[in-house]
Structures are given as structure tokens and as C-alpha cells.
Amino acid sequence: MTKVAIFVDIQNVYYTVREAYGKNFDYNKFWAQVTAGRDVVAAFCYAIDRGDQKQREFQNILRAIGFNVKLKPFIQRSDGSAKGDWDVGIALDAMEYAEQADVIVLVSGDGDFDLLVNKIRVKHGKKVEVYGVPQLTAASLINEASEFIAIDRSLLLR
């Protein structure tokens, strides 16, 4: 059976899906699609923890589906800007699990991941599937992916 490792950039998915469709991503449908006929070696969702109840409930839903939820604290800077970025953490985990998986699935439209996707494909010889909102996914990321799968209405909550 094909072994898969899944990495979901929650912030990126939330904002791109909301902007493009005005709806929310359906993690259950995604899980069913991406794991069908595959053995899951790792599945991570990366989020910023603001500590509110609704967010905790959402994280528990993700855990019930099968995801390991990784959290970083929300940091409000003195100038009013905010910090909360998982790019390095996602990259480190994806490189670690590239050894164990046949397919790496990255859910993000962030062009910063193009180097990561290239490295996993070229150095590790793995297939990398990238899920993203087509009009909001960096062309460089789409070009580096073994396969780009559009997040469209079929992967949204009704």
C-alpha cells in the first residue's frame, strides 16, 4: 500500500478558501480523498493558538479525523502587527517524513514551499501532491509539485 504523509497549513487554507469561495474547507472530505487506498504514516495540521473555545473545538475535530494538530502561540507585537508562521516547522516535518512516505501531500498555496517541494521530489525521489486554491496558489509551487490538485467546491463545506 502507498504510504502518505500529509501537511496542512491551516492559516493559508482558511484564508485562501474564504477569499476565493466565501466558505470553509471540508477536512473530512479532504481526508477521505487523500487517504483512500493509502497508509497514513503522518498527518499534521499546523495552526496558531489564540486560545478561544471555538478554535479548540475545531482542533478537536481535526484530531478526531486523524490529524496531529501542532500549535504555536499567537504573538501580538507592540507595533500592533502579529506573528504566527509555521513555514519552517512544516518544512522540517516534511523533510523528516519524506524518508518514510511514498507520497507527500502539502496543503498550502504559499510559494515559500517551492524549494521544499523540489527538494523532496529531486533528493528523495518522492511524489509531492500540492492542494491549493488555483488562483491563490503561487505558480512556482504549482510548477514544482508532482501533481497540483485544485481546492474547488467539491472540497468545501456546504
Side-chain angles (χ1 to χ4, degrees), residues 41-111:
V41 296
F44 295 102
C45 282
Y46 301 84
I48 305 307
D49 186 12
R50 294 176 191 256
D52 65 72
Q53 183 61 30
K54 190 172 180 183
Q55 192 178 49
R56 277 194 290 276
E57 290 167 8
F58 171 64
Q59 292 160 3
N60 288 334
I61 290 167
L62 292 174
R63 289 182 187 101
I65 292 169
F67 291 102
N68 178 341
V69 178
K70 290 194 167 191
L71 299 172
K72 269 191 180 180
F74 175 76
I75 298 169
Q76 185 79 41
R77 295 185 181 123
S78 58
D79 67 359
S81 65
K83 177 160 177 40
D85 188 319
W86 265 109
D87 289 6
V88 172
I90 292 169
L92 289 171
D93 286 348
M95 289 300 291
E96 180 178 336
Y97 284 95
E99 298 285 331
Q100 303 167 38
D102 303 308
V103 177
I104 299 293
V105 175
L106 174 65
V107 185
S108 180
D110 189 336

Side-chain angles (χ1 to χ4, degrees), residues 8 15 23 25 28 34 39 46-47 51 54 56 63 77 88 91-92 99 103 107-108 114 126 129 138 142-143 147 154:
V8 181
Y15 288 109
K23 295 189 180 282
F25 187 64
N28 280 301
V34 80
D39 180 30
Y46 301 84
K54 190 172 180 183
R56 277 194 290 276
R63 289 182 187 101
R77 295 185 181 123
V88 172
L92 289 171
E99 298 285 331
V103 177
V107 185
S108 180
D114 59 1
K126 306 296 175 145
E129 298 173 354
I142 292 170
N143 292 336
E147 183 179 357
S154 70

